[in-house]
Amino acid sequence: MESLINKVGANKIPYVCVAATVNMAGGQPISMENLRQVHAFCSKHGIKIFFDATRAMENAYFIKVREQGYQDKSMAEILREMCSYSNGCTMSAKKDLLVNIGGFLALNDYEIFEEARNMVVVYEGLHTYGGLAGRDMEAMALGIEEAIQEDHMRARIGQVEYVGEKLKSIGIPFVQPVGGHTIFLDAKKFLPNLKQLEFPAQTLAAELYLESGIRAMERGIVSAGRNKETGDHYYPKLELVRLTFPPRVYTQAHCDVTAEAVEAVYENRNTVIGLEMIYEPKYLRFFQARFKRI
Ligand SMILES: *Cc1c(COP(=O)(O)O)cnc(C)c1O
């Protein structure tokens, strides 16, 4: 950040977005100390901070169990402190908040709040419901209360850890420790014979689907997209496959089946053939691209 500011100047950076347990970083949490330092740094340069709070509750749980000085704080207290290091947050409620749809923008800054409240009428609906149905707002409010309970989060993340332990005992390569909502299989190590342009992570996701019907998500070269100027792919260091756990959906038996399915693909890994892309949409290609076995 320092070098970027030196290059372009702080006034060219309207805000810094901080996200918790992001996919492209293997679902790993950020520490309170990290947030504190980002806040101190941005304050010094007059840059605002917006927090992507989508998985902030999972992150609060990790801070509680891992970071020194937080063991005796409640998750709600931790979350409040996390939010205090931002000017506002965006929330995709259908993740941590246990609801089907919705989200919100919340602000610590009255001036921006006024402007946002005015704009929401133009783009979404009145600020009191933000384009959502009232009952969805109500579900979200209840979701906040439930998701911030430690028992809930211990059960949720415990399920991810359970699958992680199983995969570890089989010798499957994945990002460790596991993330809050997800396990990331390491496709480069899983399928070392595939070149990056044969889409190892996409291939692994496809093989897992064929084996078991389990739908995973590529987070590698397909997700990275193309350089706008040169038109070439970006070549990310990591080729990961995300096994996401929707909260309160799976039983332990589902978890066992998942680990067994990954094991079955792993046993046959030497016969796996890579993919070529046969359809590439213009934007966010990882959602809609199509592939064929080479
Ligand atoms: C899902 C997600 C979004 C997008 O939210 P939608 O509700 O799907 O529009 C934004 N940020 C993060 C971190 C997410 O996980």
Side-chain angles (χ1 to χ4, degrees), residues 83-105:
C83 290
S84 75
Y85 300 128
S86 76
N87 298 83
C89 75
T90 53
M91 180 77 190
S92 171
K94 65 196 194 195
K95 320 291 174 46
D96 268 8
L97 297 192
L98 309 166
V99 297
N100 295 324
I101 197 71
F104 57 77
L105 169 69

Side-chain angles (χ1 to χ4, degrees), residues 134-149:
R135 65 171 184 185
D136 290 327
M137 300 276 290
E138 208 168 322
M140 220 188 286
L142 194 59
I144 292 174
E145 283 185 32
E146 292 188 16
I148 203 66
Q149 285 172 23

Side-chain angles (χ1 to χ4, degrees), residues 19-20 22-23 52 54-55 92-95 102:
V22 291
N23 290 318
D52 183 332
T54 300
R55 295 195 174 89
S92 171
K94 65 196 194 195
K95 320 291 174 46

